[in-house]
Amino acid sequence: MIAEEQILADLTGPQREAVTHMEGPLLVLAGAGSGKTRVITRRIGYLISQGVDPSTIVAITFTNKAAAEMAQRVHQFLDSESGFGPAISTFHKFCVQLLRMYGKTIGLESNFTIFDTSDTGKLIKTACGDVGALPAGMTVGKVEGVISRAKSQMVRPDELSSKLDLPQYLVPALSRIYARYEDMLRENKALDFDDLLLKTLDLLNEPFARDAIHRRYQYLLVDEYQDTNRVQYLLAKGFSAHTRNFCATGDPDQSIYGWRGAEIGNILDFEKDFPDAKVVYLENNYRSTNHILNAADSLIKNNKQRKDKKLISVLGQGEKLKIHSCEDENDEARQVVELIRQAKLKGRAYSQIAVMCRVNSLFRTVEQTLRDNGIPYQLARGVSFFQRKEIRDLMSYLRVIANPADTVGLERIINMPTRGIGAQAQAVLKDYARTQGVIFYEAVLNADRIPSLGKSQVNVIRFAEMMERLRKTVANGVTMEELVRQTIDASSLRNYYQKRSEKDNRPDELSPVANLEEFVGTAQNYDREAPDGSLTDFIAQLSLVNDIDAVEDDSDRVVLLTMHAAKGLEFEQVVIIAVEEEILPHAMCLGNDNQIEEERRLLFVGITRAKRELHLCFSHHRSTRGSYRQNFPSRFLKEIDPQSVEGMDVSELTRPTRVSQFVISPRKSADTEAVTALPARPKCQYRPGQRVYHQKFGYGVIQEVYLSGTNYNASIQFNIAGLKKLVLGIAPLHIVQS
DNA sequence: CAAGCCATGGTTTTT
DNA sequence: CCATGGCTTG
Ligand SMILES: Nc1ncnc2c1ncn2[C@@H]1O[C@H](COP(=O)(O)OP(=O)(O)OP(=O)(O)O)[C@@H](O)[C@H]1O
């Protein structure tokens, strides 16, 4: 065991106070870079030094990467061979472990499959079809949104109308789809991401499981508490109900996942939940220089409904940040390359430079330009590998082997690669399954008894034999590497993609076959790291991989990542691109003040990742999905204290891009004369071709202006919202100057 | 039944 | 711009 002094070394008074707090609820409320994560890590060490059994400690982080880093740091606080260490993981992963262990008590088999959004999307689509035509104005995507919102707020299908603010006429269809969706999950023996949390909550309501979990875990620590959702909040309370040893850390200004149900209220109401909670504030920042902090602070001050925080850097003033005005995305990418070159000349490592933006798609040009200039980089998109078609195919085989009830997976692979089991044959199988009341896989196994399969019958039988052979292999015990190799060959996936690559004549590194090989490597890693793992566990690990988890720390490459993925990280130098209206804040968020505030927090998070040097870029033009468009600097740039900005005439940003609003008085324009010759009429400033900004619909171009009754109306093509007809005196419109 | 072609439409962030 | 789906042809 390590000496207490070492654990408490390099901590400020308040940090130490939090670290040495033993029993009872504790909240560490502090700004960016103030050492919250360090507090959690040291506190785990301190608890252990005070004789707490490490295996009774649970620490929840936001990402697997953060968990791995914390585990590594905590490792030094442990006796070399002292049994189990603390559980350090994300909410989702921790829940999966508990469900595998205790799921039986709530009727959950331990080989359940985790469905990702693409799987659940398929289910919801089918569910929509089953239920009949969708109500007007509803799309599958919107239904998905409603269901996911309902689940994260723990609203059941029959409670939609009372608990969710939905138009009444949509409710019957939606609750039927939702109920059907839940049934299908059960049929597939699958859980979606929300279920992982919800079912664990069920565990905590089941005496046997609850007691076992409570006996095992005595101390709970949750990092990034500001981004927990309702279910996670209830889980945290449930896990710690017996001891009330619950330590939460977070920063309300860094809450950026409201869009998927995170409730900032969890952290704001902590003291109400636990009136006896000890609250520690940290006011020193050890990460960034004062100019960077000041920029961040001046920005975030524009959010209403927040408590102001004091945060002082211990690193001095530092350099001012720079705002770069670029012509278009190519120019922007060139400037980024130039900044990286200069940094490299100054002796900065590539890996200490991050390029961030709001949406991954904006990295295309930057990536190309970095490649062209020989600058090494890595894109933080771990999931993209697992979303490749060939990898999803392979994973689907593994999923069905582990859980034959996984019909979504089975439907994907039954004719992939094509093996003569077409739509017709599949319909016959499905029909058989339905009439016999068995799962789809069972129908496949019974193919020899289904003559109506016709010519396909023999193909189905052969497929069934192949799958059963693989299943037997697993039952007899096999490494994941071996299983993956066998699956790739037995399924003919390798053959199929090999042939296709030959035809397409693509460069090798990106080829599907190479990806399949890489997946073998993934399996090898798993075998090495989890010698007594299982197929189910292997698949689950992969289902919970996160973008940022795949970023390699030990390679000297520039990191490209979204600001969401940057949560909790830090870099010497940060370059944020496309700080433009309709990108940041994103077009989808315009017109909703809460969402705009979250966008502001997002930029705040991006800015506060920088230790010493910060650059913000915007482009005047950008081509998005084919068309070349004019863009405007983000409103957020104007909010940053000019005192901390260098190198650019900040007034260029404050120069109004929007002409102030005017209203046509309906009375005065009350003539019936048709008005098509618009320029002649001084009463109406709007003309076809003008760019306008609408509070709700965002930016658009006026197509036509006409008089209707006593009002001028206009038809406006909005970039996002599409063509709308609006009454000019009433609609909240601004003219935008180009 | 397979494969390739064209039209359509949707269009963030992610556990 | 991209992915998906429907249609046609082999
Ligand atoms: N007392 C201290 N002395 C020196 N450095 C410290 C101290 N506390 C924290 N740091 C350093 O400050 C940096 C930020 O710490 P940490 O990541 O724990 O902050 P945080 O509050 O979790 O930040 P954020 O909320 O922005 O993710 C780290 O590099 C950490 O090592």
Side-chain angles (χ1 to χ4, degrees):
Chain A
M1 190 148 325
I2 204 154
E4 207 176 295
E5 303 90 76
Q6 268 173 282
I7 291 168
L8 299 179
D10 305 318
L11 291 179
T12 60
Q15 284 179 329
R16 195 174 289 222
E17 219 181 305
V19 166
T20 58
H21 173 90
M22 291 292 296
E23 309 280 319
L26 167 69
L27 173 66
V28 180
L29 201 57
S34 57
K36 294 185 292 297
T37 305
R38 174 181 283 214
V39 163
I40 294 243
T41 312
R42 299 291 185 93
R43 199 172 116 81
I44 296 172
Y46 185 80
L47 290 172
I48 295 170
S49 80
Q50 298 303 299
V52 170
D53 175 356
S55 69
T56 64
I57 300 172
V58 191
I60 302 294
T61 59
F62 202 74
T63 63
N64 296 310
K65 186 181 161 73
E69 272 167 24
M70 189 174 289
Q72 210 202 337
R73 297 236 169 86
V74 165
H75 189 73
Q76 61 187 345
F77 303 140
L78 292 175
D79 273 340
S80 41
E81 304 293 324
S82 71
F84 290 106
I88 303 179
S89 104
T90 63
F91 262 114
H92 292 267
K93 222 174 193 172
F94 185 58
C95 288
V96 170
Q97 275 170 29
L98 295 178
L99 288 171
R100 300 265 188 238
M101 262 190 280
Y102 305 111
K104 279 191 206 76
T105 62
I106 55 164
L108 191 72
E109 285 179 65
S110 64
N111 68 334
F112 62 83
T113 301
I114 301 168
F115 272 9
D116 66 16
T117 38
S118 118
D119 299 313
T120 57
K122 271 187 206 154
L123 283 192
I124 290 172
K125 204 166 159 201
T126 321
C128 290
D130 289 358
V131 162
L134 281 177
M138 251 354 225
T139 62
V140 174
K142 282 183 191 162
V143 175
E144 262 183 272
V146 171
I147 293 181
S148 130
R149 211 170 76 224
K151 288 192 84 158
S152 71
Q153 291 174 31
M154 305 203 307
V155 176
R156 292 197 323 257
D158 53 314
E159 301 171 321
L160 275 189
S161 72
S162 52
K163 299 233 176 120
L164 238 52
D165 189 22
L166 293 166
Q168 273 311 307
Y169 76 102
L170 291 176
V171 169
L174 284 174
S175 27
R176 275 166 65 207
I177 296 169
Y178 180 10
R180 179 83 193 98
Y181 166 72
E182 293 285 301
D183 285 342
M184 290 168 89
L185 280 175
R186 257 190 302 279
E187 287 160 18
N188 280 266
K189 286 211 288 181
L191 301 186
D192 64 18
F193 288 126
D194 290 316
D195 283 334
L196 296 179
L197 307 173
L198 288 165
K199 300 290 178 194
T200 307
L201 207 51
D202 290 345
L203 279 189
L204 289 174
N205 288 322
E206 200 288 318
F208 175 80
R210 180 187 53 220
D211 291 349
I213 293 168
H214 278 175
R215 263 197 308 281
R216 167 109 195 236
Y217 300 106
Q218 313 279 320
Y219 291 87
L220 173 69
L221 301 92
V222 180
D223 202 4
E224 307 280 11
Y225 189 59
Q226 75 281 353
D227 268 324
T228 49
N229 67 21
R230 178 167 170 73
V231 187
Q232 290 167 332
Y233 158 79
L234 292 171
L235 281 174
K237 279 190 105 165
F239 286 145
S240 60
H242 58 318
T243 60
R244 303 183 80 246
N245 293 333
F246 172 26
C247 162
T249 65
D251 175 4
D253 289 334
Q254 293 186 62
S255 167
I256 53 177
Y257 283 89
W259 54 272
R260 68 167 202 214
E263 292 181 8
I264 198 169
N266 290 348
I267 194 164
L268 297 176
D269 295 340
F270 191 91
E271 291 168 77
K272 269 187 224 142
D273 277 326
F274 302 96
D276 57 329
K278 180 176 183 68
V279 183
V280 174
Y281 300 91
L282 307 177
E283 298 182 330
N284 286 343
N285 174 297
Y286 297 91
R287 177 186 295 141
S288 315
T289 59
N290 263 325
H291 274 311
I292 291 169
L293 284 187
N294 181 46
D297 190 54
S298 55
L299 170 73
I300 204 67
K301 275 197 160 71
N302 288 278
N303 275 2
K304 320 221 155 68
Q305 304 244 332
R306 76 177 269 282
K307 264 201 276 183
D308 213 24
K309 276 200 299 289
K310 201 167 77 184
L311 201 56
I312 307 273
S313 170
V314 302
L315 300 174
Q317 283 303 99
E319 286 174 43
K320 295 183 177 183
L321 70 93
K322 297 194 183 73
I323 296 178
H324 303 265
S325 160
C326 311
E327 192 39 46
D328 57 20
E329 71 269 25
N330 295 311
D331 183 34
E332 182 179 62
R334 275 193 297 274
Q335 297 205 33
V336 170
V337 164
E338 193 46 41
L339 289 170
I340 295 171
R341 281 224 178 98
Q342 284 167 14
K344 188 69 183 170
L345 286 178
K346 275 188 283 187
R348 185 158 286 158
Y350 284 131
S351 59
Q352 273 306 312
I353 305 172
V355 182
M356 299 181 189
C357 73
R358 174 67 226 263
V359 287
N360 278 305
S361 61
L362 292 171
F363 281 133
R364 286 173 63 97
T365 316
V366 176
E367 270 191 273
Q368 187 58 51
T369 314
L370 289 174
R371 263 200 302 272
D372 292 347
N373 287 276
I375 294 176
Y377 71 90
Q378 53 181 330
L379 190 61
R381 285 185 70 193
V383 284
S384 72
F385 175 75
F386 295 98
Q387 272 160 8
R388 305 189 78 93
K389 195 182 161 315
E390 61 275 16
I391 299 302
R392 288 196 72 96
D393 292 340
L394 178 51
M395 291 263 293
S396 294
Y397 276 93
L398 299 177
R399 272 167 43 175
V400 176
I401 292 167
N403 169 20
D406 179 352
T407 302
V408 173
L410 182 52
E411 282 176 354
R412 183 183 178 100
I413 58 168
I414 190 167
N415 202 30
M416 176 68 228
T418 51
R419 50 172 68 87
I421 311 176
Q424 198 62 44
Q426 288 181 46
V428 169
L429 286 168
K430 230 176 266 175
D431 198 55
Y432 176 89
R434 197 170 42 80
T435 52
Q436 302 290 310
V438 296
I439 57 173
F440 193 41
Y441 189 81
E442 192 76 19
V444 170
L445 288 186
N446 293 347
D448 54 345
R449 277 175 258 159
I450 315 175
S452 52
L453 281 169
K455 271 190 249 167
S456 298
Q457 190 179 31
V458 58
N459 299 326
V460 180
I461 291 172
R462 235 179 276 152
F463 172 71
E465 282 166 1
M466 186 249 307
M467 293 303 287
E468 282 299 294
R469 256 198 310 278
L470 288 169
R471 277 170 57 73
K472 198 169 277 169
T473 315
V474 174
N476 292 337
V478 67
T479 63
M480 287 308 118
E481 178 192 354
E482 188 51 35
L483 174 66
V484 169
R485 282 190 194 286
Q486 285 188 28
T487 305
I488 293 176
D489 290 324
S491 65
S492 304
L493 278 177
R494 183 196 302 280
N495 265 335
Y496 172 80
Y497 282 111
Q498 190 102 51
K499 270 207 216 110
R500 272 189 28 152
S501 296
E502 280 159 19
K503 235 187 352 191
D504 294 0
N505 198 14
R506 290 263 176 86
D508 252 357
E509 10 143 21
L510 285 169
S511 82
V513 179
N515 285 329
L516 291 175
E517 283 302 332
E518 191 175 331
F519 193 88
V520 175
T522 308
Q524 277 172 345
N525 284 343
Y526 178 81
D527 288 331
R528 189 155 11 88
E529 277 158 31
D532 39 35
S534 66
L535 175 58
T536 321
D537 181 58
F538 176 52
I539 298 168
Q541 301 288 321
L542 298 184
S543 305
L544 297 175
V545 166
N546 162 311
D547 276 344
I548 199 67
D549 296 339
V551 170
E552 296 169 24
D553 289 333
D554 48 4
S555 76
D556 189 26
R557 295 184 280 171
V558 174
V559 184
L560 273 49
L561 73 182
T562 63
M563 283 171 273
H564 282 97
K567 191 188 207 356
L569 305 180
E570 54 187 28
F571 301 87
E572 291 289 324
Q573 176 170 343
V574 169
V575 183
I576 305 179
I577 64 168
V579 188
E580 293 151 29
E581 283 294 295
E582 292 191 273
I583 292 178
L584 184 67
H586 195 274
M588 302 301 279
C589 304
L590 300 175
N592 179 324
D593 286 349
N594 285 332
Q595 289 183 32
I596 297 267
E597 295 211 345
E598 183 156 307
E599 296 287 294
R600 194 177 277 114
R601 289 194 291 270
L602 189 56
L603 180 58
F604 175 85
V605 167
I607 289 176
T608 54
R609 299 310 94 194
K611 293 179 170 176
R612 326 203 75 93
E613 194 176 333
L614 174 65
H615 301 270
L616 306 180
C617 306
F618 68 88
S619 292
H620 294 287
H621 302 275
R622 194 174 287 279
S623 13
T624 17
R625 57 171 211 288
S627 68
Y628 194 66
R629 272 183 33 193
Q630 183 174 20
N631 272 7
F632 299 92
S634 168
R635 64 190 77 182
F636 299 150
L637 291 173
K638 297 155 201 161
E639 297 171 356
I640 295 176
D641 181 357
Q643 299 233 326
S644 289
V645 181
E646 176 201 308
M648 190 188 145
D649 183 6
V650 186
S651 65
E652 195 185 321
L653 297 171
T654 38
R655 165 171 60 96
T657 48
R658 259 173 249 146
V659 169
S660 65
Q661 152 83 316
F662 98 109
V663 180
I664 307 168
S665 152
R667 287 271 147 69
K668 290 200 175 144
S669 53
D671 53 22
T672 46
E673 159 194 3
V675 183
T676 36
L678 284 152
R681 299 200 66 91
K683 292 257 168 63
C684 181
Q685 292 184 16
Y686 295 98
R687 295 169 189 49
Q690 262 172 346
R691 257 176 86 72
V692 292
Y693 173 83
H694 184 279
Q695 239 175 45
K696 180 136 163 261
F697 302 133
Y699 289 96
V701 176
I702 299 186
Q703 306 294 306
E704 195 189 349
V705 179
Y706 53 93
L707 198 64
S708 159
T710 55
N711 291 324
Y712 282 100
N713 288 12
S715 64
I716 303 174
Q717 180 70 45
F718 288 100
N719 296 336
I720 301 294
L723 193 68
K724 301 271 175 194
K725 290 200 167 77
L726 300 173
V727 181
L728 285 177
I730 295 165
L733 269 188
H734 304 252
I735 298 175
V736 177
Q737 240 168 27
S738 310

